[in-house]
Amino acid sequence: MTVLDAVSGARTSTSPALLFTRTRVSGADERVFVAKLVVLAVLTAVGVVLALRPEPLLIVVGVVLLAAMYTHAVELQHQCLHHSAFRKSWPHRLVGVPLGLPLLVVYSHYRLRHLQHHRYLGTPQDTEFFGFDTRQPITVAALLRGLLDYPRLGSVGWDVFRSATGRWSYQYGAVSPTMRRRIVTEHLVLGVVVLAVIGLALAGYGAYPLRLWVLPLLLAVPMHFLVELPEHLLCETDTTDVLRNTRSIRGSWLSTWFTNGNNLHIEHHAAMTVPINQLPSRHEETRRLAVNVERSYGDFYRLLWQELRRTDRRPVQTD
């Protein structure tokens, strides 16, 4: 082997061959996603049955299971945002809209802001949909605000009201008339659902919305925050290099399923239209090349705890 061959081989071993490669959704990919929807439906049905039981323990189990499924549904919705679940584009909105309703996530609004997040990650124009800004100083107070981000639910209600009165507008740049019309329509759909649930409660059936939606929703808000938090926290915030500004977590089959591959976030940002079920095959390159790769969610949260302790030890600067 010549020196030139050795240098060429070294370069190949340290450069991605698959990570940034785009692929189309295949029939097999589509079947995998449909299977995930079936599992979601079955587990949600189990949660409904348990939550409506008279035994307190079974009610608790049912509420927790529903909260987990509402969180999981938003992760499935996330794949629909990228049009990487179906071979044709139209089913993504049809499926994506109901997936977000339990957690009050409006599909087209989320899609608009989330695609901007992918485009502008690592710049001041980043517009991630959920409120916690991973570029801010990491404090216990900031994390608690993100964990208990119930004000977001109120802001969604305000957007529903603005949509109903013809006053909804997008605050993060220009939006096409078609996209605006879709966002307004989906807010109105959410508003109708909320009014129907309120009507059910006023008719004397308050236990149903309480156990099947209100309590699971209150629990799903912090649950979803914990799923989303590792994506970019403690990564470099002033670079557009996805190998440095994003984190991947290898995780277990359970965490990969529950987050719908959100743990493999570097792989997702490197080629965002690749079907989620194809991402694990790219993780070996991520482990070899990326800066922020953890073995498990436990490892990430230990890292976060250590950062919080370091922050607490830093001396307070005074003028």
Side-chain angles (χ1 to χ4, degrees), residues 115-172:
L115 294 183
Q116 286 184 321
H117 161 67
H118 273 263
R119 180 178 181 182
Y120 295 116
L121 179 63
T123 74
Q125 289 76 40
D126 186 6
T127 57
E128 178 56 294
F129 185 76
F130 295 96
F132 186 79
D133 187 352
T134 56
R135 296 165 294 187
Q136 67 180 323
I138 301 172
T139 65
V140 172
L143 290 172
L144 284 176
R145 284 194 298 271
L147 186 71
L148 306 175
D149 188 20
Y150 300 115
R152 184 190 72 84
L153 307 181
S155 68
V156 174
W158 177 241
D159 281 342
V160 169
F161 175 77
R162 291 199 302 157
S163 296
T165 56
R167 293 187 292 170
W168 186 87
S169 61
Y170 188 57
Q171 65 186 81
Y172 298 103

Side-chain angles (χ1 to χ4, degrees), residues 90-289:
W90 65 264
H92 291 98
R93 186 182 180 216
L94 182 67
V95 174
V97 169
L99 284 173
L101 288 178
L103 208 52
L104 275 64
V105 179
V106 175
Y107 171 81
S108 292
H109 192 198
Y110 185 11
R111 173 173 163 80
L112 179 62
R113 286 188 59 178
H114 186 71
L115 294 183
Q116 286 184 321
H117 161 67
H118 273 263
R119 180 178 181 182
Y120 295 116
L121 179 63
T123 74
Q125 289 76 40
D126 186 6
T127 57
E128 178 56 294
F129 185 76
F130 295 96
F132 186 79
D133 187 352
T134 56
R135 296 165 294 187
Q136 67 180 323
I138 301 172
T139 65
V140 172
L143 290 172
L144 284 176
R145 284 194 298 271
L147 186 71
L148 306 175
D149 188 20
Y150 300 115
R152 184 190 72 84
L153 307 181
S155 68
V156 174
W158 177 241
D159 281 342
V160 169
F161 175 77
R162 291 199 302 157
S163 296
T165 56
R167 293 187 292 170
W168 186 87
S169 61
Y170 188 57
Q171 65 186 81
Y172 298 103
V175 57
S176 70
T178 299
M179 180 59 74
R180 184 185 186 280
R181 184 166 57 252
R182 289 179 177 180
I183 293 171
V184 168
T185 300
E186 291 166 23
H187 275 103
L188 295 179
V189 169
L190 176 59
V192 170
V193 172
V194 171
L195 288 176
V197 169
I198 293 174
L200 188 66
L202 293 176
Y205 300 96
Y208 291 97
L210 178 66
R211 297 186 191 184
L212 301 183
W213 195 8
V214 176
L215 294 178
L217 173 60
L218 294 177
L219 183 58
V221 168
M223 192 179 292
H224 182 260
F225 171 79
L226 294 175
V227 168
E228 297 273 321
L229 187 63
E231 295 175 354
H232 305 288
L233 192 68
L234 301 177
C235 300
E236 296 181 29
T237 60
D238 58 352
T239 176
T240 57
D241 183 358
V242 71
L243 298 175
R244 309 183 71 86
N245 63 20
T246 305
R247 169 177 286 99
S248 277
I249 298 174
R250 183 173 62 191
S252 63
W253 70 266
L254 181 61
S255 64
T256 301
W257 163 77
F258 180 64
T259 65
N260 192 36
N262 199 51
N263 54 314
L264 304 177
H265 213 61
I266 293 172
E267 294 85 339
H268 170 62
H269 268 269
M272 66 179 182
T273 59
V274 172
I276 297 296
N277 55 287
Q278 294 188 26
L279 297 184
S281 64
R282 304 175 179 221
H283 186 62
E284 187 57 40
E285 281 192 2
T286 301
R287 291 178 61 194
R288 180 163 52 87
L289 300 172

